[in-house]
Amino acid sequence: MGANRSAQEARALEKRLGGRSKGGRSLRRRLAFAASTALSELIVRMIEIFVALAVTLFAFVPVLLARLALRLPAGKPVFSKRTVFGQSGKPLTLLSFDALSGELATLPWFLELFTGRLALAGTAIRDWQPAAAPEQGYISMVKPGIISLWNVRQSTRIAHEGREATEWEYIFSKHPLYDFLLILRALPALLFSEKEASPSPIFELLDLKIDNITMHEAVRMIYQALEQKRQSAIFFVNPDCMNQSVTDHDYRKALMAADHILPDGIGLVIAGKMLGTPLRENINGTDMLPFLSTMAADEKYSIFLLGGKPKVAEMAADTIAQNYGVTIAGAMHGYFDRETESAKVIEEINNSKASILLVAFGAPLQEKWIVRHRAELRPTILMGVGGLFDFYSGNIQRAPRWMREIGLEWVYRILQEPGRMWKRYVIGNPLFLYRVMKWRVFSRSTNH
Ligand code: UDP
């Protein structure tokens, strides 16, 4: 983050935390503001004490007794210590249950709700490093919380903006109601939570090799391919794609011919967990586009949009150019005769001198088309992006962020287009999980 932006954010934060100072406001309004702030803080404290009491009685004490009985006779410690950033950037020592993993280990943290050194919802808990103290700076003005926006987004692997930007987003949104909704979102997040993502760079699923990388790494990999003029076909797969790859052999061949396959959606995150290869991030075209466009704008690479209904690609192109300042080399709908008109379309793409081609015919059409024509296509990056232009043209609304945070984007898609989507998700999701389990038991055990 640039020094300028930090200073601006710091000023805005001071204003926010201190209320709007001087002039303009009558004393009465200021008093009312102070009273409502004090009241909501009091309510938050009461909720925290209530939660701390409930967790202590029903979870902490039973686990403590069990751990004492198990560990003390063996001469092993019951607790381990961890030093983290507390409020105002000061070191704070937290106790966890030694040699326990997951949520159980962190039960003693709830005792800190009584002391007020931790909040229920706050900034993410981060290990204390003296060298990182200045950088933690203003973030530390807000109390660290057992639940944080960063952890909620991490659990569904959509924290693409990185920790610092996510913390700022939280700080600027912070409000008792926001915290309450964040706590609700943290409950389903427990299902997906995984402390550490697997270091394995490849996630093997139903015999396909999927890249296990972060959004930042994916965009960097695209940048490197562009710099080296190394033509790369990049496809995304969601559970529906994986299902289709089992029954459609041409699609499967197309996926196998890809240079990179990227994991799209909560279904893949769950599969990663089931197979012991937790995914680093959930990478889908819609989330990637802002990062990709910003990189392309900075590095002067242009994009061609092919696909979607007439006018949709053009409308998406306008939005992308306006929002990210990237050069759009061309835009064209995806309803042409692929047998007789592909040559003309390819000529138009090549003449545009685009470096990145986004093809949005939906899977598996787009992947098959790209693989079939890749030798004739000049752009370096060839990506299949599904319904992406529909979202960016405003044609179809994307699920709100909170739904994506709890892994329910697919429910929103069903509600939007029940006729087309119910089969894909209601039947497709369980079928996908069944196939993953079957693959885990049979094929994988014979291969490994
Ligand atoms: N589409 C197209 N040409 C076709 C069929 C579909 O351009 O012959 C477009 C369609 O307008 C939509 C996209 O492909 O914008 C498919 O969207 P969908 O949500 O089905 O794709 P997914 O992301 O699920 O692969």
Side-chain angles (χ1 to χ4, degrees):
M1 187 187 296
N4 230 354
R5 195 165 149 222
S6 289
Q8 268 173 19
E9 277 169 347
R11 272 197 301 279
L13 179 65
E14 266 163 10
K15 217 166 149 187
R16 202 180 136 74
L17 293 176
R20 272 160 213 97
S21 56
K22 291 175 210 150
R25 274 176 186 253
S26 72
L27 184 63
R28 240 170 73 195
R29 279 180 63 189
R30 273 205 253 168
L31 280 176
F33 177 76
S36 73
T37 309
L39 184 68
S40 42
E41 273 167 15
L42 184 72
I43 294 173
V44 169
R45 274 306 281 151
M46 280 165 58
I47 295 174
E48 285 181 345
I49 302 283
F50 175 77
V51 170
L53 270 173
V55 172
T56 306
L57 280 178
F58 298 112
F60 173 72
V61 171
V63 175
L64 175 67
L65 293 176
R67 297 306 285 168
L68 284 172
L70 225 103
R71 308 275 294 174
L72 281 189
K76 289 181 181 155
V78 175
F79 295 107
S80 59
K81 280 185 185 167
R82 179 176 165 194
T83 307
V84 302
F85 278 101
Q87 195 170 12
S88 311
K90 295 197 185 92
L92 167 67
T93 303
L94 294 179
L95 291 183
S96 307
F97 280 122
D98 192 51
L100 267 188
S101 62
E103 314 310 326
L104 284 184
T106 55
L107 279 175
W109 293 6
F110 283 84
L111 300 181
E112 295 292 352
L113 294 180
F114 292 120
T115 65
R117 292 193 297 183
L118 280 188
L120 192 54
T123 50
I125 289 174
R126 183 179 174 193
D127 281 327
W128 164 255
Q129 297 155 344
E135 169 207 327
Q136 184 78 356
Y138 277 90
I139 292 175
S140 301
M141 285 176 73
V142 174
K143 211 187 276 182
I146 296 174
I147 292 165
S148 67
L149 182 64
W150 166 254
N151 289 124
V152 168
R153 290 209 180 138
Q154 274 285 82
S155 67
T156 38
R157 303 285 186 242
I158 59 163
H160 304 308
E161 291 86 356
R163 181 193 281 263
E164 207 178 333
T166 310
E167 295 281 45
W168 281 111
E169 186 184 330
Y170 170 71
I171 290 168
F172 281 99
S173 320
K174 191 167 171 60
H175 179 275
L177 181 64
Y178 185 87
D179 279 349
F180 176 70
L181 296 174
L182 181 66
I183 292 164
L184 289 187
R185 301 203 300 276
L187 299 177
L190 287 176
L191 288 176
F192 314 119
S193 75
E194 194 77 50
K195 291 292 169 240
E196 290 299 326
S198 159
S200 167
I202 295 291
F203 168 39
E204 214 182 325
L205 180 64
L206 308 187
D207 299 325
L208 288 175
K209 289 188 169 40
I210 297 169
D211 288 13
N212 188 10
I213 54 179
T214 63
M215 182 67 82
H216 181 80
E217 288 166 348
V219 174
R220 188 155 180 81
M221 158 196 104
I222 293 174
Y223 167 68
Q224 282 167 349
L226 285 164
E227 287 291 282
Q228 295 160 11
K229 298 204 169 25
R230 184 165 29 87
Q231 195 183 53
S232 302
I234 301 170
F235 302 145
F236 298 91
V237 287
N238 57 29
D240 179 51
C241 301
M242 294 307 294
N243 282 337
Q244 293 196 56
S245 79
V246 174
T247 50
D248 181 338
H249 289 287
D250 289 340
Y251 178 41
R252 191 174 189 77
K253 267 168 60 188
L255 286 175
M256 285 179 153
D259 296 85
H260 297 278
I261 304 178
L262 298 172
D264 167 1
I266 192 67
L268 275 277
V269 174
I270 294 173
K273 213 171 143 66
M274 285 164 68
L275 296 171
T277 315
L279 286 191
R280 287 207 169 88
E281 274 181 29
N282 159 0
I283 303 186
N284 56 79
T286 317
D287 281 337
M288 181 189 269
L289 192 74
F291 298 97
L292 180 72
S293 303
T294 306
M295 179 274 286
D298 290 348
E299 305 297 334
K300 311 257 176 304
Y301 289 112
S302 62
I303 303 183
F304 194 107
L305 279 66
L306 173 67
K309 299 205 176 77
K311 298 262 176 319
V312 168
E314 285 86 347
M315 278 156 67
D318 284 349
T319 311
I320 297 165
Q322 267 171 30
N323 290 353
Y324 310 108
V326 62
T327 305
I328 301 294
M332 212 190 136
H333 69 81
Y335 290 83
F336 58 91
D337 185 328
R338 265 161 273 277
E339 290 308 317
T340 59
E341 292 177 296
S342 284
K344 212 173 79 210
V345 171
I346 291 168
E347 196 184 335
E348 191 169 324
I349 294 166
N350 290 344
N351 287 342
S352 79
K353 305 254 181 306
S355 306
I356 301 169
L357 172 66
L358 305 182
V359 185
F361 304 154
L365 254 181
Q366 60 204 13
E367 286 80 8
K368 289 181 189 173
W369 191 83
I370 289 176
V371 168
R372 181 170 166 197
H373 296 289
R374 84 180 274 178
E376 305 144 60
L377 284 162
R378 294 232 186 93
T380 309
I381 301 296
L382 311 170
M383 274 174 108
V385 292
L388 181 133
F389 304 161
D390 291 318
F391 295 126
Y392 279 88
S393 64
N395 201 22
I396 294 182
Q397 279 288 315
R398 192 160 184 215
R401 185 104 193 213
W402 69 265
M403 281 189 102
R404 288 183 270 146
E405 283 170 358
I406 57 176
L408 289 186
E409 181 163 20
W410 57 278
V411 173
Y412 192 83
R413 295 288 285 134
I414 295 180
L415 294 175
Q416 270 178 325
E417 295 181 80
R420 199 164 77 92
M421 294 294 169
W422 80 270
K423 204 171 152 204
R424 182 187 287 194
Y425 294 117
V426 178
I427 301 199
N429 284 356
L431 179 64
F432 167 68
L433 294 179
Y434 165 74
R435 282 184 165 139
V436 174
M437 268 181 331
K438 203 170 111 189
W439 184 73
R440 185 173 75 164
V441 175
F442 297 109
S443 327
R444 214 184 175 206
S445 51
T446 53
N447 293 341
H448 291 254

